Amino acid sequence: MRRRYIVAIWLVLGLTLMTILMYNIFGVSKLSNMKTTFGVSKRNNTKTTDCNCIKIRTPDEPTNITSRDTKEEKMSTHKENTDTNKAAEQRHYGEPGYVFVGTKRMNMFPKTVNQSDLDFSNYFSDAEVKKRNLVLLGGVMKCGTGTMKTFLKEHPSIRDAVGLQVFFTYNFGIQWYLKRLPKCKENEWAFTRCTNCFMNTDSLSLINNINELIGKRLKLLFIIRNPVERMISHYTQLKAGNKTLLPPIGHWIKEQISNPNTSGALQKTRYIDYFPVWYRMVGDKNILVLEHEEFVNTPWIAMQRVEKHLGLNPFFNENSFLLRKAGKYYCYKTKGPQMEECSHNPNSKGRIHVDITEKERTILRDYFRPFNERLFKFLNVRYKWE
Ligand SMILES: Nc1ncnc2c1ncn2[C@@H]1O[C@H](COP(=O)(O)OS(=O)(=O)O)[C@@H](OP(=O)(O)O)[C@H]1O
């Protein structure tokens, strides 16, 4: 009899334990939308009842979201543009989420978004939108864009559109961008950079739409660099972030050149493939292309070109910059308590490049020569890139 009681007690205990376990598993499966797909926190795809967040789709987001939402896509560690664009298609506001830019996990969603925020008129009137002057540094990655941003921010007529950096590669809906553009007075410019926009056709169409909305007040800025050096810089950056998987530079170059249409590194460096479409989009007078060597060696000349391009009052001159002893790069000069100082660490950007043989350099040089020739003709310049 006593034995039966003990068995019964064990049964009850067992059943309770099983129920708790089942409940937990069920609960977890309900929350499985917290898993990541395409590097996007799926929390943002859940309905109100599941996670207490609102599913928001802005009018200009693609409509095929639901079919994509159901797919369990494996998260890859390395996301180039194609993947990030796919990711953009299923992005929604809601609880904080994140995206992967390359392998970097970045927070991107505003913490709270009210349903009413969907109403465009909550932000600004049509007339106000037209007051946004935007200057976009559209690339190219590894050509000095970070330093250009540091310098430009010093100009009294430039307003940094902080929240926009890099995000033009994603389609969050046009309001998302417009909302983050600071209001500008007549002679002021909101500035942001988007180094990956250069060869991203989705960015291009998004930017084109924004340009239309702001009354074609968009000016574009690009910095380009000797393609061989840009490739080595690109590889050096990859190497710094991915020490094991990357082949030696010689192999990497061969790999890129045998897959020219899928190599993001080559695409970014074949400048002539993308400039015509940018020029067509904004017209010749709204686009300025600078060259890396000039920017590094005589930043005041490059910055004066930018001022002229934007119709700004002269602010930068040779005296605005400081080259520290044994330093490679100029910085913007400020007055410190005792002496002239740099507004930022000029060595915060710029890596020591990996070694590369002359033969490997020649392979790159030969590959890019015809593209460079076409570019020079297009831009009507000739850089010393050999
Ligand atoms: N102070 C200063 N002045 C002018 N130019 C500078 C400066 N610091 C860095 N650099 C150059 O910028 C290169 C990095 O380019 P980006 O800032 O576009 O890189 S990134 O795309 O944001 O990663 C960087 O490339 P690497 O040296 O190949 O790393 C430099 O050529």
Side-chain angles (χ1 to χ4, degrees):
M1 190 68 173
R2 210 171 143 218
R3 218 168 150 193
R4 270 196 202 156
Y5 275 129
I6 292 169
V7 171
I9 287 167
W10 274 113
L11 255 171
V12 172
L13 275 174
L15 273 171
T16 318
L17 209 68
M18 283 277 283
T19 315
I20 292 169
L21 268 173
M22 288 296 287
Y23 179 81
N24 274 339
I25 290 164
F26 182 65
V28 167
S29 79
K30 264 190 121 184
L31 291 176
S32 64
N33 48 32
M34 289 173 96
K35 282 184 204 158
T36 48
T37 342
F38 281 123
V40 182
S41 163
K42 280 201 78 182
R43 266 186 289 185
N44 301 298
N45 294 337
T46 51
K47 292 191 187 96
T48 317
T49 43
D50 281 341
C51 75
N52 217 10
C53 60
I54 314 161
K55 176 165 177 160
I56 296 175
R57 184 167 62 76
T58 47
D60 50 337
E61 275 182 0
T63 45
N64 59 344
I65 286 164
T66 14
S67 61
R68 286 245 170 148
D69 283 356
T70 52
K71 270 190 198 166
E72 276 296 311
E73 299 284 355
K74 233 186 153 191
M75 193 182 77
S76 142
T77 46
H78 184 73
K79 301 259 158 267
E80 279 285 304
N81 285 295
T82 343
D83 275 4
T84 49
N85 290 336
K86 277 184 199 160
E89 287 180 20
Q90 39 173 4
R91 192 137 321 111
H92 312 281
Y93 301 127
E95 287 189 358
Y98 56 85
V99 288
F100 277 89
V101 178
T103 52
K104 202 167 173 187
R105 184 178 182 272
M106 299 184 84
N107 237 325
M108 41 140 300
F109 289 105
K111 285 247 181 326
T112 50
V113 175
N114 301 321
Q115 191 67 43
S116 58
D117 283 353
L118 280 179
D119 183 359
F120 187 79
S121 61
N122 274 357
Y123 301 142
F124 24 62
S125 67
D126 237 31
E128 269 186 296
V129 171
K130 299 245 155 66
K131 281 192 190 137
R132 263 71 181 167
N133 298 329
L134 174 63
V135 51
L136 179 78
L137 176 56
V140 175
M141 182 189 153
K142 304 317 303 170
C143 295
T145 58
T147 307
M148 170 58 80
K149 179 187 162 180
T150 315
F151 291 168
L152 258 188
K153 272 164 59 182
E154 300 292 340
H155 197 291
S157 301
I158 297 288
R159 308 204 47 203
D160 193 13
V162 182
L164 288 179
Q165 183 166 334
V166 307
F167 292 126
F168 274 106
T169 17
Y170 305 101
N171 183 0
F172 300 146
I174 282 178
Q175 292 97 326
W176 196 92
Y177 299 91
L178 289 177
K179 201 180 144 191
R180 283 159 182 80
L181 284 188
K183 279 183 200 166
C184 291
K185 293 188 196 130
E186 203 50 53
N187 58 346
E188 282 183 341
W189 289 85
F191 164 79
T192 193
R193 77 170 172 149
C194 168
T195 55
N196 271 331
C197 285
F198 182 61
M199 34 72 81
N200 184 323
T201 47
D202 283 0
S203 305
L204 198 111
S205 84
L206 174 69
I207 292 164
N208 191 30
N209 284 325
I210 289 174
N211 191 24
E212 291 293 326
L213 269 174
I214 62 175
K216 302 207 167 171
R217 299 161 85 98
L218 171 74
K219 293 259 185 191
L220 291 171
L221 212 56
F222 293 95
I223 315 179
I224 51 179
R225 182 176 187 178
N226 181 338
V228 177
E229 297 304 320
R230 206 215 72 82
M231 286 294 283
I232 303 169
S233 177
H234 193 120
Y235 176 87
T236 307
Q237 168 160 313
L238 292 177
K239 184 95 183 155
N242 175 357
K243 295 199 171 60
T244 46
L245 293 178
L246 207 63
I249 188 155
H251 285 130
W252 182 77
I253 289 171
K254 277 184 197 145
E255 251 175 47
Q256 306 302 305
I257 289 181
S258 38
N259 300 292
N261 297 326
T262 50
S263 156
L266 286 185
Q267 283 174 321
K268 285 185 180 81
T269 329
R270 288 197 305 255
Y271 310 126
I272 188 59
D273 283 356
Y274 303 95
F275 271 130
V277 70
W278 286 104
Y279 268 80
R280 211 176 308 138
M281 188 177 111
V282 293
D284 291 15
K285 69 177 179 23
N286 292 319
I287 184 164
L288 175 69
V289 180
L290 297 169
E291 204 265 332
H292 172 266
E293 285 296 299
E294 178 187 81
F295 178 56
V296 169
N297 298 326
T298 49
W300 52 96
I301 293 182
M303 297 316 288
Q304 282 165 358
R305 286 191 206 281
V306 176
E307 284 174 344
K308 196 166 166 216
H309 179 54
L310 302 179
L312 298 175
N313 290 330
F315 175 75
F316 295 107
N317 56 52
E318 189 168 355
N319 204 29
S320 317
F321 298 92
L322 184 68
L323 185 64
R324 283 258 172 83
K325 262 193 199 133
K328 187 172 166 193
Y329 297 116
Y330 280 93
C331 67
Y332 181 77
K333 192 159 71 179
T334 51
K335 278 249 180 313
Q338 279 150 27
M339 50 177 225
E340 288 169 334
E341 284 179 359
C342 280
S343 69
H344 71 289
N345 174 6
N347 301 321
S348 62
K349 276 266 178 188
R351 292 188 173 91
I352 297 174
H353 285 182
V354 297
D355 289 335
I356 174 166
T357 64
E358 200 40 46
K359 201 170 154 205
E360 288 156 353
R361 263 180 196 280
T362 306
I363 294 175
L364 284 174
R365 240 182 250 133
D366 291 346
Y367 176 80
F368 284 112
R369 191 168 297 114
F371 297 102
N372 292 347
E373 283 304 318
R374 281 171 49 213
L375 178 80
F376 295 159
K377 209 164 164 196
F378 183 82
L379 295 179
N380 200 18
V381 287
R382 183 159 288 274
Y383 300 127
K384 290 181 193 140
W385 280 356
E386 274 297 309

